Amino acid sequence: MTSLIFMKKFRIFSGSANHALAKKVAQNLKMDLGKVEIVRFADGECRVRLEEEVEGKTVFVLQSLCPPVDENLVELCLLADTLKRNGAQKLIAVVPYLGYARQDKVNRKGECLSTQVVARIIESVGFEKLIAVDVHSEKALSFFKIPTENLLPDQVLAEAVSSDKKNCLAVSPDEGALKRVRQIAKILGTTVVSIDKERDLLTGKLKIKGVKGDASGQNLIIFDDMITSGGTLIIAADFLARQKAAGVLACATHGLLVKDAPLALQKSEIKKVIVTDTVPVPKEKQFKKLEIVTVAPLIARAIENSV
Ligand code: R5P
């Protein structure tokens, strides 16, 4: 059990991107969230004001860089600034969803290297460590000069599909996901079917070029790091259905679910969509096939181990 002395040594503050998750993390650690006022002026500018003493303390700031991504990033920076100004001894950024991580390379001449810029910003405001969840790529993490910890919710997702895992195969929807899916397949005690997906960088259009493994007659669970438009999962599920799969489920760590993704996923071949709560899914984005599992205990453990 977390002792009182231990609890007093550190505090957790939440930005406004994912307050519900921050609250759950704090509950897991049997403590309250740090008191802070975050307001927006009429023109959209953010102002942050601390409402408690943090001098000499290690402070964790939990903020997902989900939409509105840029606003949430600035908020994270302003929180860091005020905590530093008010004497916090050590700042640790807890970023359950690290936005901008997909822009980890210059794909076409003239493009910026956004992931590196975001890493520089986070470091420059005084964070000494980053704890993130299922960061898009190892490359993205390599831009940080401060220590990083990438928490993988493999066990959480494996438990979420435990009633469906009998005779199932794990599906990697693209090359990038393969390493992760192999790890999850190991936990599930199954093997991997791997899809060869291609995205046109100019139009964003997706194409499936082929599949490694036999999907026919199988129960399949697709694992991906994030659902943005839902396009990757939908096109993969369509393809697998045409290969006569018995049923398709989908799991992803980050449920960004932009625009009409919820409707498209509800209408798709996918029977159930499981995401974690690294990104909040407001009521209006929730749909019948959606199930949300929490990463709060995973983050709470990482915080405890970082003090
Ligand atoms: C791609 O590299 C990512 O891992 C995801 O597969 C992709 O970002 C998901 O986006 P969408 O849902 O728009 O296909």
Side-chain angles (χ1 to χ4, degrees), residues 40-64:
R40 295 245 162 223
F41 291 106
D43 62 358
E45 277 183 17
C46 178
R47 190 197 62 197
V48 169
R49 192 175 63 87
L50 270 192
E51 291 180 332
E52 68 172 61
E53 298 299 324
V54 292
E55 192 156 356
K57 291 185 180 166
T58 294
V59 180
F60 296 83
V61 184
L62 191 144
Q63 177 80 326
S64 269

PDB file of all heavy atoms in Angstrom, residues 40-64:
ATOM      1  N   ARG A  40      -9.337  29.423 -20.514  1.00  0.00           N
ATOM      2  CA  ARG A  40      -9.082  29.907 -21.878  1.00  0.00           C
ATOM      3  C   ARG A  40      -9.672  31.306 -22.003  1.00  0.00           C
ATOM      4  O   ARG A  40     -10.822  31.539 -21.620  1.00  0.00           O
ATOM      5  CB  ARG A  40      -9.758  28.997 -22.913  1.00  0.00           C
ATOM      6  CG  ARG A  40      -9.179  27.615 -22.932  1.00  0.00           C
ATOM      7  CD  ARG A  40      -8.489  27.278 -24.232  1.00  0.00           C
ATOM      8  NE  ARG A  40      -7.608  26.131 -24.008  1.00  0.00           N
ATOM      9  CZ  ARG A  40      -6.392  26.030 -24.474  1.00  0.00           C
ATOM     10  NH1 ARG A  40      -5.896  26.983 -25.216  1.00  0.00           N
ATOM     11  NH2 ARG A  40      -5.656  24.974 -24.235  1.00  0.00           N
ATOM     12  N   PHE A  41      -8.905  32.204 -22.538  1.00  0.00           N
ATOM     13  CA  PHE A  41      -9.418  33.541 -22.836  1.00  0.00           C
ATOM     14  C   PHE A  41     -10.302  33.457 -24.076  1.00  0.00           C
ATOM     15  O   PHE A  41     -10.270  32.453 -24.812  1.00  0.00           O
ATOM     16  CB  PHE A  41      -8.262  34.517 -23.088  1.00  0.00           C
ATOM     17  CG  PHE A  41      -7.476  34.820 -21.841  1.00  0.00           C
ATOM     18  CD1 PHE A  41      -6.214  34.279 -21.648  1.00  0.00           C
ATOM     19  CD2 PHE A  41      -8.001  35.643 -20.850  1.00  0.00           C
ATOM     20  CE1 PHE A  41      -5.493  34.548 -20.502  1.00  0.00           C
ATOM     21  CE2 PHE A  41      -7.279  35.918 -19.698  1.00  0.00           C
ATOM     22  CZ  PHE A  41      -6.022  35.365 -19.521  1.00  0.00           C
ATOM     23  N   ALA A  42     -11.053  34.518 -24.321  1.00  0.00           N
ATOM     24  CA  ALA A  42     -12.001  34.511 -25.442  1.00  0.00           C
ATOM     25  C   ALA A  42     -11.302  34.248 -26.778  1.00  0.00           C
ATOM     26  O   ALA A  42     -11.882  33.671 -27.699  1.00  0.00           O
ATOM     27  CB  ALA A  42     -12.747  35.838 -25.484  1.00  0.00           C
ATOM     28  N   ASP A  43     -10.041  34.652 -26.889  1.00  0.00           N
ATOM     29  CA  ASP A  43      -9.333  34.445 -28.158  1.00  0.00           C
ATOM     30  C   ASP A  43      -8.686  33.059 -28.242  1.00  0.00           C
ATOM     31  O   ASP A  43      -7.975  32.755 -29.194  1.00  0.00           O
ATOM     32  CB  ASP A  43      -8.258  35.537 -28.353  1.00  0.00           C
ATOM     33  CG  ASP A  43      -7.198  35.485 -27.267  1.00  0.00           C
ATOM     34  OD1 ASP A  43      -7.318  34.642 -26.343  1.00  0.00           O
ATOM     35  OD2 ASP A  43      -6.242  36.271 -27.340  1.00  0.00           O
ATOM     36  N   GLY A  44      -8.897  32.230 -27.220  1.00  0.00           N
ATOM     37  CA  GLY A  44      -8.383  30.864 -27.261  1.00  0.00           C
ATOM     38  C   GLY A  44      -7.097  30.661 -26.494  1.00  0.00           C
ATOM     39  O   GLY A  44      -6.687  29.531 -26.239  1.00  0.00           O
ATOM     40  N   GLU A  45      -6.445  31.763 -26.110  1.00  0.00           N
ATOM     41  CA  GLU A  45      -5.195  31.612 -25.350  1.00  0.00           C
ATOM     42  C   GLU A  45      -5.469  30.936 -24.016  1.00  0.00           C
ATOM     43  O   GLU A  45      -6.507  31.164 -23.391  1.00  0.00           O
ATOM     44  CB  GLU A  45      -4.577  32.991 -25.066  1.00  0.00           C
ATOM     45  CG  GLU A  45      -3.771  33.527 -26.208  1.00  0.00           C
ATOM     46  CD  GLU A  45      -3.116  34.853 -25.851  1.00  0.00           C
ATOM     47  OE1 GLU A  45      -3.017  35.187 -24.654  1.00  0.00           O
ATOM     48  OE2 GLU A  45      -2.721  35.563 -26.790  1.00  0.00           O
ATOM     49  N   CYS A  46      -4.489  30.162 -23.577  1.00  0.00           N
ATOM     50  CA  CYS A  46      -4.640  29.412 -22.325  1.00  0.00           C
ATOM     51  C   CYS A  46      -3.898  30.124 -21.198  1.00  0.00           C
ATOM     52  O   CYS A  46      -2.843  30.709 -21.423  1.00  0.00           O
ATOM     53  CB  CYS A  46      -4.049  28.025 -22.570  1.00  0.00           C
ATOM     54  SG  CYS A  46      -4.069  26.946 -21.166  1.00  0.00           S
ATOM     55  N   ARG A  47      -4.455  30.084 -19.983  1.00  0.00           N
ATOM     56  CA  ARG A  47      -3.725  30.582 -18.816  1.00  0.00           C
ATOM     57  C   ARG A  47      -3.819  29.541 -17.710  1.00  0.00           C
ATOM     58  O   ARG A  47      -4.898  28.998 -17.446  1.00  0.00           O
ATOM     59  CB  ARG A  47      -4.305  31.896 -18.304  1.00  0.00           C
ATOM     60  CG  ARG A  47      -3.407  32.542 -17.240  1.00  0.00           C
ATOM     61  CD  ARG A  47      -4.109  33.604 -16.432  1.00  0.00           C
ATOM     62  NE  ARG A  47      -5.231  33.033 -15.704  1.00  0.00           N
ATOM     63  CZ  ARG A  47      -6.221  33.748 -15.183  1.00  0.00           C
ATOM     64  NH1 ARG A  47      -6.256  35.041 -15.350  1.00  0.00           N
ATOM     65  NH2 ARG A  47      -7.204  33.162 -14.526  1.00  0.00           N
ATOM     66  N   VAL A  48      -2.682  29.260 -17.116  1.00  0.00           N
ATOM     67  CA  VAL A  48      -2.604  28.213 -16.092  1.00  0.00           C
ATOM     68  C   VAL A  48      -2.166  28.856 -14.778  1.00  0.00           C
ATOM     69  O   VAL A  48      -1.268  29.690 -14.767  1.00  0.00           O
ATOM     70  CB  VAL A  48      -1.563  27.150 -16.544  1.00  0.00           C
ATOM     71  CG1 VAL A  48      -1.231  26.196 -15.417  1.00  0.00           C
ATOM     72  CG2 VAL A  48      -2.077  26.370 -17.765  1.00  0.00           C
ATOM     73  N   ARG A  49      -2.835  28.485 -13.683  1.00  0.00           N
ATOM     74  CA  ARG A  49      -2.438  29.030 -12.366  1.00  0.00           C
ATOM     75  C   ARG A  49      -2.465  27.917 -11.323  1.00  0.00           C
ATOM     76  O   ARG A  49      -3.488  27.255 -11.129  1.00  0.00           O
ATOM     77  CB  ARG A  49      -3.400  30.147 -11.952  1.00  0.00           C
ATOM     78  CG  ARG A  49      -2.915  30.955 -10.755  1.00  0.00           C
ATOM     79  CD  ARG A  49      -3.853  32.124 -10.480  1.00  0.00           C
ATOM     80  NE  ARG A  49      -5.190  31.658 -10.132  1.00  0.00           N
ATOM     81  CZ  ARG A  49      -5.563  31.336  -8.892  1.00  0.00           C
ATOM     82  NH1 ARG A  49      -4.736  31.449  -7.886  1.00  0.00           N
ATOM     83  NH2 ARG A  49      -6.789  30.912  -8.643  1.00  0.00           N
ATOM     84  N   LEU A  50      -1.327  27.737 -10.677  1.00  0.00           N
ATOM     85  CA  LEU A  50      -1.231  26.699  -9.634  1.00  0.00           C
ATOM     86  C   LEU A  50      -2.030  27.099  -8.415  1.00  0.00           C
ATOM     87  O   LEU A  50      -2.052  28.271  -8.048  1.00  0.00           O
ATOM     88  CB  LEU A  50       0.226  26.561  -9.184  1.00  0.00           C
ATOM     89  CG  LEU A  50       1.135  25.589  -9.895  1.00  0.00           C
ATOM     90  CD1 LEU A  50       2.404  25.422  -9.081  1.00  0.00           C
ATOM     91  CD2 LEU A  50       0.457  24.240 -10.064  1.00  0.00           C
ATOM     92  N   GLU A  51      -2.639  26.109  -7.779  1.00  0.00           N
ATOM     93  CA  GLU A  51      -3.411  26.413  -6.565  1.00  0.00           C
ATOM     94  C   GLU A  51      -2.903  25.612  -5.372  1.00  0.00           C
ATOM     95  O   GLU A  51      -3.630  25.377  -4.411  1.00  0.00           O
ATOM     96  CB  GLU A  51      -4.893  26.134  -6.819  1.00  0.00           C
ATOM     97  CG  GLU A  51      -5.508  27.124  -7.800  1.00  0.00           C
ATOM     98  CD  GLU A  51      -6.980  26.866  -8.070  1.00  0.00           C
ATOM     99  OE1 GLU A  51      -7.400  25.699  -7.968  1.00  0.00           O
ATOM    100  OE2 GLU A  51      -7.688  27.829  -8.378  1.00  0.00           O
ATOM    101  N   GLU A  52      -1.664  25.130  -5.460  1.00  0.00           N
ATOM    102  CA  GLU A  52      -1.057  24.462  -4.297  1.00  0.00           C
ATOM    103  C   GLU A  52       0.466  24.559  -4.380  1.00  0.00           C
ATOM    104  O   GLU A  52       1.022  24.879  -5.434  1.00  0.00           O
ATOM    105  CB  GLU A  52      -1.514  23.001  -4.196  1.00  0.00           C
ATOM    106  CG  GLU A  52      -0.996  22.109  -5.314  1.00  0.00           C
ATOM    107  CD  GLU A  52      -1.300  20.636  -5.066  1.00  0.00           C
ATOM    108  OE1 GLU A  52      -2.489  20.283  -4.976  1.00  0.00           O
ATOM    109  OE2 GLU A  52      -0.328  19.842  -4.966  1.00  0.00           O
ATOM    110  N   GLU A  53       1.115  24.290  -3.271  1.00  0.00           N
ATOM    111  CA  GLU A  53       2.582  24.372  -3.200  1.00  0.00           C
ATOM    112  C   GLU A  53       3.216  23.110  -3.777  1.00  0.00           C
ATOM    113  O   GLU A  53       2.744  22.002  -3.507  1.00  0.00           O
ATOM    114  CB  GLU A  53       3.038  24.505  -1.731  1.00  0.00           C
ATOM    115  CG  GLU A  53       2.537  25.754  -1.025  1.00  0.00           C
ATOM    116  CD  GLU A  53       3.013  27.037  -1.687  1.00  0.00           C
ATOM    117  OE1 GLU A  53       4.156  27.063  -2.177  1.00  0.00           O
ATOM    118  OE2 GLU A  53       2.223  28.007  -1.732  1.00  0.00           O
ATOM    119  N   VAL A  54       4.262  23.285  -4.578  1.00  0.00           N
ATOM    120  CA  VAL A  54       4.922  22.109  -5.151  1.00  0.00           C
ATOM    121  C   VAL A  54       6.430  22.131  -4.879  1.00  0.00           C
ATOM    122  O   VAL A  54       7.153  21.272  -5.372  1.00  0.00           O
ATOM    123  CB  VAL A  54       4.674  22.014  -6.679  1.00  0.00           C
ATOM    124  CG1 VAL A  54       3.221  21.718  -6.983  1.00  0.00           C
ATOM    125  CG2 VAL A  54       5.164  23.263  -7.398  1.00  0.00           C
ATOM    126  N   GLU A  55       6.850  23.106  -4.108  1.00  0.00           N
ATOM    127  CA  GLU A  55       8.291  23.284  -3.892  1.00  0.00           C
ATOM    128  C   GLU A  55       8.955  21.982  -3.421  1.00  0.00           C
ATOM    129  O   GLU A  55       8.485  21.320  -2.499  1.00  0.00           O
ATOM    130  CB  GLU A  55       8.538  24.396  -2.870  1.00  0.00           C
ATOM    131  CG  GLU A  55       9.983  24.775  -2.858  1.00  0.00           C
ATOM    132  CD  GLU A  55      10.208  26.188  -2.351  1.00  0.00           C
ATOM    133  OE1 GLU A  55       9.232  26.903  -2.081  1.00  0.00           O
ATOM    134  OE2 GLU A  55      11.389  26.543  -2.233  1.00  0.00           O
ATOM    135  N   GLY A  56      10.043  21.621  -4.098  1.00  0.00           N
ATOM    136  CA  GLY A  56      10.836  20.453  -3.699  1.00  0.00           C
ATOM    137  C   GLY A  56      10.229  19.121  -4.098  1.00  0.00           C
ATOM    138  O   GLY A  56      10.772  18.064  -3.770  1.00  0.00           O
ATOM    139  N   LYS A  57       9.094  19.153  -4.779  1.00  0.00           N
ATOM    140  CA  LYS A  57       8.425  17.882  -5.094  1.00  0.00           C
ATOM    141  C   LYS A  57       8.700  17.400  -6.518  1.00  0.00           C
ATOM    142  O   LYS A  57       8.954  18.196  -7.418  1.00  0.00           O
ATOM    143  CB  LYS A  57       6.909  18.034  -4.907  1.00  0.00           C
ATOM    144  CG  LYS A  57       6.558  18.199  -3.453  1.00  0.00           C
ATOM    145  CD  LYS A  57       5.090  18.239  -3.205  1.00  0.00           C
ATOM    146  CE  LYS A  57       4.879  18.402  -1.701  1.00  0.00           C
ATOM    147  NZ  LYS A  57       3.551  18.774  -1.329  1.00  0.00           N
ATOM    148  N   THR A  58       8.604  16.101  -6.673  1.00  0.00           N
ATOM    149  CA  THR A  58       8.609  15.529  -8.021  1.00  0.00           C
ATOM    150  C   THR A  58       7.172  15.647  -8.521  1.00  0.00           C
ATOM    151  O   THR A  58       6.236  15.272  -7.825  1.00  0.00           O
ATOM    152  CB  THR A  58       9.024  14.044  -7.969  1.00  0.00           C
ATOM    153  OG1 THR A  58      10.380  13.992  -7.540  1.00  0.00           O
ATOM    154  CG2 THR A  58       8.897  13.383  -9.325  1.00  0.00           C
ATOM    155  N   VAL A  59       7.011  16.196  -9.714  1.00  0.00           N
ATOM    156  CA  VAL A  59       5.655  16.397 -10.223  1.00  0.00           C
ATOM    157  C   VAL A  59       5.479  15.710 -11.575  1.00  0.00           C
ATOM    158  O   VAL A  59       6.289  15.879 -12.492  1.00  0.00           O
ATOM    159  CB  VAL A  59       5.325  17.905 -10.347  1.00  0.00           C
ATOM    160  CG1 VAL A  59       3.910  18.084 -10.889  1.00  0.00           C
ATOM    161  CG2 VAL A  59       5.437  18.595  -9.001  1.00  0.00           C
ATOM    162  N   PHE A  60       4.416  14.940 -11.669  1.00  0.00           N
ATOM    163  CA  PHE A  60       4.045  14.279 -12.913  1.00  0.00           C
ATOM    164  C   PHE A  60       2.919  15.088 -13.548  1.00  0.00           C
ATOM    165  O   PHE A  60       1.964  15.454 -12.868  1.00  0.00           O
ATOM    166  CB  PHE A  60       3.550  12.858 -12.627  1.00  0.00           C
ATOM    167  CG  PHE A  60       4.608  11.963 -12.052  1.00  0.00           C
ATOM    168  CD1 PHE A  60       4.886  11.985 -10.687  1.00  0.00           C
ATOM    169  CD2 PHE A  60       5.341  11.121 -12.867  1.00  0.00           C
ATOM    170  CE1 PHE A  60       5.881  11.169 -10.148  1.00  0.00           C
ATOM    171  CE2 PHE A  60       6.335  10.302 -12.339  1.00  0.00           C
ATOM    172  CZ  PHE A  60       6.593  10.328 -10.982  1.00  0.00           C
ATOM    173  N   VAL A  61       3.055  15.370 -14.833  1.00  0.00           N
ATOM    174  CA  VAL A  61       1.992  16.104 -15.527  1.00  0.00           C
ATOM    175  C   VAL A  61       1.406  15.200 -16.596  1.00  0.00           C
ATOM    176  O   VAL A  61       2.107  14.783 -17.521  1.00  0.00           O
ATOM    177  CB  VAL A  61       2.532  17.394 -16.190  1.00  0.00           C
ATOM    178  CG1 VAL A  61       1.376  18.181 -16.815  1.00  0.00           C
ATOM    179  CG2 VAL A  61       3.274  18.249 -15.195  1.00  0.00           C
ATOM    180  N   LEU A  62       0.138  14.856 -16.430  1.00  0.00           N
ATOM    181  CA  LEU A  62      -0.496  13.943 -17.385  1.00  0.00           C
ATOM    182  C   LEU A  62      -1.281  14.747 -18.422  1.00  0.00           C
ATOM    183  O   LEU A  62      -2.177  15.518 -18.088  1.00  0.00           O
ATOM    184  CB  LEU A  62      -1.414  12.978 -16.639  1.00  0.00           C
ATOM    185  CG  LEU A  62      -1.935  11.797 -17.456  1.00  0.00           C
ATOM    186  CD1 LEU A  62      -2.031  10.543 -16.607  1.00  0.00           C
ATOM    187  CD2 LEU A  62      -3.263  12.074 -18.127  1.00  0.00           C
ATOM    188  N   GLN A  63      -0.894  14.578 -19.656  1.00  0.00           N
ATOM    189  CA  GLN A  63      -1.570  15.285 -20.742  1.00  0.00           C
ATOM    190  C   GLN A  63      -1.428  14.479 -22.030  1.00  0.00           C
ATOM    191  O   GLN A  63      -0.311  14.224 -22.502  1.00  0.00           O
ATOM    192  CB  GLN A  63      -0.933  16.680 -20.928  1.00  0.00           C
ATOM    193  CG  GLN A  63      -1.483  17.503 -22.074  1.00  0.00           C
ATOM    194  CD  GLN A  63      -2.809  18.184 -21.729  1.00  0.00           C
ATOM    195  OE1 GLN A  63      -3.626  17.650 -20.986  1.00  0.00           O
ATOM    196  NE2 GLN A  63      -3.038  19.356 -22.264  1.00  0.00           N
ATOM    197  N   SER A  64      -2.548  14.085 -22.613  1.00  0.00           N
ATOM    198  CA  SER A  64      -2.505  13.394 -23.908  1.00  0.00           C
ATOM    199  C   SER A  64      -2.392  14.428 -25.015  1.00  0.00           C
ATOM    200  O   SER A  64      -3.063  15.457 -24.969  1.00  0.00           O
ATOM    201  CB  SER A  64      -3.792  12.584 -24.120  1.00  0.00           C
ATOM    202  OG  SER A  64      -3.623  11.284 -23.621  1.00  0.00           O
TER     203      SER A  64
END
